[in-house]
Amino acid sequence: MRTEPLTIGGLAGPSVVSTNGLSGRYRITVGGHPASRIGRSRYALAVADGGMVEARVRGGFLDAYPSLEINGATHRTGPPTPLALRALALSPIGLLLLGGLLGGLVGGLGAATNFAVARSRVPTAVKALLMLVVLAAVVVTWAILATAIQQTLAAPSAG
């Protein structure tokens, strides 16, 4: 996921935060140039006068967009995610309780998909509808996989 360019006063150009969906690691560019990582979620960003300033990326588990914290000021990289959408985005993880490891894996993929939907540029009502479709698809997928595994394990072995 890539955020839209964010103009922050004093930096050497617009900032873009990219998130690796699998590892959760961030990559930041300022004015098109990559920022150096100096620690866990900490980066050195180029400022207009040629120096550097330390920034921390804050990626909330329940928020679709990370924030940049520079000199105590927080700069959002996208709009806030409504609480109802956050809950809906996480709802597939509930399969962990019902379906164990398989449910957790399928539900985790569904939640990741829902957060991608949350970052999309469609109206909130459409996001909610798409998240419900993802939830239904996750439940159906889990049921099919669980049934297939159960039947495979219960089948008499040939031999």
Side-chain angles (χ1 to χ4, degrees):
M1 182 229 29
R2 258 180 71 115
T3 65
E4 291 294 317
L6 176 67
T7 303
I8 299 173
L11 293 184
S15 302
V16 175
V17 179
S18 301
T19 308
N20 182 317
L22 295 176
S23 69
R25 293 193 112 180
Y26 299 105
R27 182 175 170 271
I28 302 175
T29 59
V30 177
H33 301 287
S36 299
R37 185 169 181 229
I38 56 175
R40 183 180 169 105
S41 298
R42 293 181 15 237
Y43 296 83
L45 306 183
V47 293
D49 67 6
M52 296 287 184
V53 66
E54 183 178 325
R56 180 177 287 274
V57 180
R58 303 265 186 206
F61 179 67
L62 294 176
D63 204 353
Y65 296 95
S67 296
L68 279 177
E69 185 180 295
I70 303 170
N71 293 329
T74 301
H75 305 275
R76 290 195 54 82
T77 61
T81 305
L83 185 58
L85 281 184
R86 292 181 200 185
L88 198 52
L90 286 173
S91 62
I93 292 179
L95 273 180
L96 178 64
L97 300 173
L98 182 63
L101 179 62
L102 179 63
L105 289 171
V106 174
L109 290 172
T113 302
N114 277 347
F115 274 107
V117 169
R119 288 186 292 273
S120 68
R121 295 176 184 239
V122 296
T124 302
V126 175
K127 289 179 185 181
L129 181 61
L130 289 171
M131 287 181 185
L132 288 171
V133 169
V134 168
L135 178 60
V138 162
V139 170
V140 169
T141 301
W142 167 76
I144 290 170
L145 289 173
T147 301
I149 290 170
Q150 186 178 26
Q151 287 178 351
T152 301
L153 294 176
S157 59

